[in-house]
Amino acid sequence: MDEPHGIGRIMLSHEQIWGAIDRLAERHDLTPSGLARRAGLDPTSFNKSKRLSADGRLRWPSTESISKVLDATGASMEQFLAFMRPGGNPSGLPDATFAPPGSSIPLLGFAQAGAGGFFDDGGFPAGQGWDVVEFPAAPSQKAGVYALEVQGESMMPLYRDGDVLIVEPGAQVRRNDRVVVRTREGEVMAKVLLRQSPRSIELMSLNPEHPNRTLDLSDVDWIARIIWASQ
């Protein structure tokens, strides 16, 4: 069967895909291990030793791993494919990957986030007292995003004191998404969404020393998806 005009078959080699991951990491000033960690994967996932099995067979990154990397860096699949081209330096990258000079979003500490007056009814930034932080994506691409600075060790080992979490209020959240939840009593927490029903949500703690939580939706002020973290 003839292929549609203008569309050809794309043959992706083992070397091209791993090379694209390496160049994406470099573009964000990360090592392959740092890129894996940012995407929530095992830090050794992209190590060169993991790219071949003990008997010499090729090992490929999973589509889930690539999806998590793209989500963590804000890159599109088109940009990832562009890294596979000769030279590996795609031109014309949109603002969604790297911020233009002066691009900034509101920043607030976790402790302050529990107080009143900083958010509207939808969980969007409101009121005074916000600082600003540079964000590696144009705000126009992610309207309403803001940053929360981690304070304390309750989110170790994934997030450390001083890390900045970029959250997107109003975005659809799905199972296994990392989210920030604020209760009507003013408690603010970063968790993993395990399950959401019409009446409740189940949350897994990032720190194994802290218990998982189940909250009635009536007790939840807002929930926002974590889309990026500075680590």
Side-chain angles (χ1 to χ4, degrees):
M1 179 177 179
D2 293 338
E3 295 183 7
H5 178 71
I7 298 178
R9 293 180 180 176
I10 301 176
M11 300 298 292
L12 303 180
S13 71
H14 180 266
E15 182 180 1
Q16 282 178 311
I17 290 183
W18 282 115
I21 289 176
D22 290 339
R23 284 185 280 274
L24 182 61
E26 292 172 3
R27 191 75 182 228
H28 287 269
D29 295 322
L30 295 168
T31 63
S33 293
L35 180 64
R37 187 179 297 109
R38 176 178 291 188
L41 302 170
D42 185 297
T44 65
S45 297
F46 299 152
N47 286 3
K48 294 187 184 298
S49 62
K50 293 290 187 74
R51 303 180 186 187
L52 291 173
S53 64
D55 58 4
R57 288 182 297 175
L58 301 181
R59 299 180 66 178
W60 299 71
S62 68
T63 54
E64 180 182 9
S65 295
I66 293 175
S67 176
K68 288 183 176 180
V69 163
L70 298 183
D71 187 52
T73 59
S76 67
M77 179 56 73
E78 289 76 13
Q79 291 162 15
F80 184 77
L81 292 173
F83 278 113
M84 299 183 192
R85 298 169 186 163
N89 186 22
S91 60
L93 287 176
D95 291 338
T97 304
F98 304 100
S103 174
S104 61
I105 60 174
L107 169 69
L108 193 67
F110 257 80
Q112 291 80 10
F118 289 104
F119 301 94
D120 64 16
D121 292 340
F124 288 83
Q128 304 297 318
W130 291 82
D131 202 343
V132 294
V133 66
E134 296 300 310
F135 176 42
S140 60
Q141 299 289 333
K142 296 285 186 181
V145 297
Y146 57 87
L148 294 174
E149 184 177 3
V150 175
Q151 296 167 332
E153 307 299 329
S154 64
M155 302 175 205
M156 289 282 287
L158 192 58
Y159 301 131
R160 301 172 177 84
D161 184 59
D163 285 348
V164 174
L165 309 182
I166 309 299
V167 301
E168 184 179 5
Q172 182 179 0
V173 292
R174 301 178 180 87
R175 184 179 180 181
N176 295 325
D177 278 350
R178 297 174 191 170
V179 296
V180 173
V181 178
R182 186 181 190 273
T183 69
R184 297 194 182 279
E185 294 182 351
E187 184 181 5
V188 180
M189 65 196 84
K191 304 283 186 182
V192 175
L193 180 65
L194 291 181
R195 182 174 179 271
Q196 181 171 356
S197 73
R199 294 185 177 180
S200 65
I201 56 173
E202 296 179 15
L203 304 168
M204 180 178 71
S205 292
L206 303 174
N207 188 327
E209 296 182 0
H210 290 251
N212 295 345
R213 299 282 298 273
T214 298
L215 300 173
D216 291 339
L217 282 180
S218 60
D219 295 329
V220 174
D221 192 7
W222 49 257
I223 181 170
R225 184 164 63 95
I226 298 173
I227 61 173
W228 190 84
S230 68
Q231 296 176 299

